[in-house]
Amino acid sequence: MSVKISIFQSLMFLFNRFILRRYRNPKPKYQKGPSFLLLSDLSRHTLIFNLEGALLKSDSLFPYFMLVAFEAGGVMRSFILFILYPLISLMSHEMGVKLMVFVSFFGIKKDGLRAGRAVLPKYFLEDVGLEMFKVLRKGGKRIGVSDDLPQVMIEGFLKDYLETEVVVGREMRVVGGYYIGIMEDKTKYDLEFDELVRKERLNTGHVIGITSFNTSLHRYLVSQFCQEIYFVKKSDKRNWQTLPRNQYPKPLIFHDGRLAIKPTLMNALVLFMWGPFAVSAAAARLFVSLCIPYSLSIPILGFSGCRLTVEIDDISSQKLNSSQRKGCLFACNHRTLLDPLYIGFALKTQNITTVTYSLSRVSELLAPIKTVRLTRDRVSDGKAMKKLLSEGDLVVCPEGTTCREPHLLRFSPLFTEISDLIIPVAVTSPATFFYGTTASGLKAFDPLFFLMDPYPTYTVQFLDPVSGVSCQDPDGKLKFEVANHVQSVIGNALDFECTNLTRKDKYLILAGNNGVVKKN
């Protein structure tokens, strides 16, 4: 009797799943490509798209897991993932993803993982197809879905930078506050997605699915609730253009992480081959910078691969070469901790001082030039800076923190009250393999990572002097005008965009704090 009941229940389940549902939800219209959607009005439609299958140009997920492994787990974890790649490539797609997830996430503290918001968005944005981006921008509501990438890797990118209203990814299992490298069961994920699509169908009545032939995007679920489904082919992706920076919905100004190059398989191979040489080169360059006089260290560093280009405007040249020159105030934009040092190299002098707010103790001890820590009290800091200027050249970075992208943060006006004459200095320092800055890592290693590049490069441009306001600002407004003017002059020289963002904005986005640095 129980066998008959079981057979009857199975028949009723199949009848409900394949007949009644198809009757209630007519079979969707399948299309080979979504390009003609650019000509349609989608403002009342909900677009459900697959991230890796329909939005990103690249089909490989390896670089994104490598970024998590390197930035969150360190060099050894990323090397293990790299040497496992041949095994991963021989596995099925699902098993390969599970192994990459396990290696990248196992033992990582949940609260300490910020790679999804601080590191990955840069590389995702550089892989977005322009054509699909335009389609998604026309939709009334966007739902981003990933079959393979964990929610923690994609949510920050899709919500913060592509303005995607809903993100559905695989959740990671956590034990004691640490990831165990296993994603939640796919059945639970399917049920959540099923419920989400049902609600969208009831709310809007117009749901369009966009996926690829290589990813399911829950083919059964989408086919039950989407009126139309569009498939993106590999040949379509090859013809896509990359989304230009000037079309990002939100400018990419802040990002973190040490790697300056996307760790594809070949790039990762180059990085690990260069690694031992990089450490040796950085140690040698650091020794030369600290222990040898400038007259000898500059040519030695140049022979080792370091590059320095100096440009001086006419008026600044006259001022710097004057026999009666006393201490000069140099105001520069901030690219790395080595900005003041390279200004000293450009001037061929070690009699130069810089002021900092939160330089690590290790960096202070190793610095070959004098560094003075400020207290964030305007009166006492102003007096200290005036005293230092009377003793020799002084370098200040009014942004208060570094910025990697072609943007300038707001200039604090304190420096404008220190001297009657300010020399703006525009500096650039492109990164090849590694970034010499960090917001959430150990700042003591910043100079080492900069020197680990094959060719550490700096360009220092001394611009025409600007008048300060040390004795002529009764209402306190002129100092802000001068600070903004210096920012504008440097921005024009570098072709950088000036912003009103501050140090606090940067650290809240990247590190979740107000920028207080541990004294390493």
Side-chain angles (χ1 to χ4, degrees), residues 201-496:
R201 178 66 182 270
L202 292 174
N203 293 336
T204 66
H206 304 281
V207 182
I208 295 177
I210 307 175
T211 182
S212 72
F213 291 103
N214 301 322
T215 57
S216 63
L217 185 56
H218 311 278
R219 284 195 181 103
Y220 160 68
L221 295 172
V222 172
S223 65
Q224 300 303 312
F225 301 104
C226 293
Q227 288 85 359
E228 301 177 34
I229 299 178
Y230 295 85
F231 290 95
V232 177
K233 299 182 294 185
K234 287 187 177 181
S235 58
D236 296 331
K237 290 187 174 186
R238 284 195 292 268
N239 296 326
W240 282 357
Q241 301 179 47
T242 302
L243 178 64
R245 289 183 60 93
N246 59 8
Q247 294 191 34
Y248 288 177
K250 175 183 176 181
L252 179 68
I253 300 177
F254 301 127
H255 57 87
D256 205 7
R258 292 295 190 182
L259 290 182
I261 184 173
K262 184 178 180 180
T264 61
L265 180 62
M266 291 306 299
N267 287 343
L269 175 62
V270 173
L271 283 171
F272 287 119
M273 291 178 63
W274 168 246
F277 300 100
V279 175
S280 302
R285 290 164 176 168
L286 186 62
F287 174 80
V288 171
S289 301
L290 296 177
C291 303
I292 299 180
Y294 275 16
S295 58
L296 297 176
S297 64
I298 292 177
I300 295 175
L301 290 173
F303 180 77
S304 73
C306 296
R307 299 289 185 263
L308 172 61
T309 302
V310 181
E311 302 175 10
I312 305 179
D313 289 358
D314 294 337
I315 301 178
S316 290
S317 178
Q318 296 175 8
K319 174 67 176 175
L320 295 176
N321 295 323
S322 173
S323 59
Q324 299 179 348
R325 180 172 81 89
K326 297 181 180 179
C328 288
L329 177 63
F330 299 96
C332 72
N333 60 303
H334 206 3
R335 304 303 283 181
T336 77
L337 294 179
L338 301 180
D339 294 338
L341 181 61
Y342 270 88
I343 291 177
F345 280 136
L347 297 172
K348 297 182 180 179
T349 179
Q350 287 181 301
N351 184 27
I352 192 170
T353 306
T354 186
V355 291
T356 67
Y357 282 114
S358 55
L359 190 66
S360 68
R361 293 299 185 189
V362 174
S363 299
E364 285 182 339
L365 292 173
L366 294 178
I369 62 175
K370 183 179 179 181
T371 62
V372 176
R373 186 182 293 264
L374 299 180
T375 63
R376 299 187 185 276
D377 179 82
R378 293 187 60 85
V379 176
S380 61
D381 288 346
K383 291 180 180 179
M385 292 170 68
K386 287 182 178 180
K387 181 180 178 182
L388 293 171
L389 187 60
S390 67
E391 299 172 354
D393 295 336
L394 178 64
V395 178
V396 298
C397 300
E399 290 176 285
T401 187
T402 57
C403 183
R404 298 172 175 179
E405 295 301 314
H407 295 80
L408 296 180
L409 308 187
R410 189 180 70 191
F411 276 30
S412 172
L414 178 60
F415 74 99
T416 65
E417 305 173 78
I418 306 304
S419 173
D420 292 330
L421 196 67
I422 303 165
I423 299 181
V425 184
V427 299
T428 56
S429 177
T432 305
F433 285 169
F434 305 103
Y435 285 115
T437 61
T438 183
S440 57
L442 295 175
K443 287 186 173 293
F445 292 138
D446 286 0
L448 289 176
F449 274 100
F450 173 81
L451 294 172
M452 283 170 61
D453 254 10
Y455 299 100
T457 302
Y458 248 92
T459 299
V460 179
Q461 183 178 357
F462 296 94
L463 307 176
D464 289 337
V466 174
S467 298
V469 292
S470 59
C471 300
Q472 49 182 349
D473 190 17
D475 57 359
K477 295 182 179 179
L478 187 57
K479 61 184 180 183
F480 294 102
E481 295 177 4
V482 174
N484 292 337
H485 176 64
V486 173
Q487 181 196 42
S488 176
V489 168
I490 296 176
N492 290 336
L494 298 175
D495 196 23
F496 283 9

Side-chain angles (χ1 to χ4, degrees), residues 49-59 61 132 145-148 210-215 230-234 237 240:
F49 66 94
N50 181 272
L51 172 63
E52 58 268 32
L55 181 64
L56 303 181
K57 293 181 61 178
S58 172
D59 292 324
L61 301 180
M132 183 53 61
V145 180
S146 177
D147 294 332
D148 304 316
I210 307 175
T211 182
S212 72
F213 291 103
N214 301 322
T215 57
Y230 295 85
F231 290 95
V232 177
K233 299 182 294 185
K234 287 187 177 181
K237 290 187 174 186
W240 282 357

Side-chain angles (χ1 to χ4, degrees), residues 103-171:
V103 174
S104 301
F105 282 89
F106 179 77
I108 300 296
K109 191 174 182 179
K110 180 182 178 181
D111 294 339
L113 181 66
R114 300 193 63 85
R117 293 189 179 275
V119 179
L120 293 176
K122 172 183 183 293
Y123 298 95
F124 279 134
L125 283 168
E126 292 173 352
D127 199 22
V128 170
L130 175 61
E131 289 74 6
M132 183 53 61
F133 171 78
K134 289 181 178 179
V135 170
L136 295 179
R137 295 294 288 175
K138 294 174 68 68
K141 184 176 182 179
R142 293 162 289 273
I143 299 177
V145 180
S146 177
D147 294 332
D148 304 316
L149 294 173
Q151 180 94 358
V152 69
M153 290 178 63
I154 64 174
E155 187 170 26
F157 160 63
L158 290 176
K159 285 191 173 182
D160 296 344
Y161 289 92
L162 288 193
E163 299 175 350
T164 304
E165 288 81 0
V166 181
V167 177
V168 183
R170 303 284 296 277
E171 293 291 346

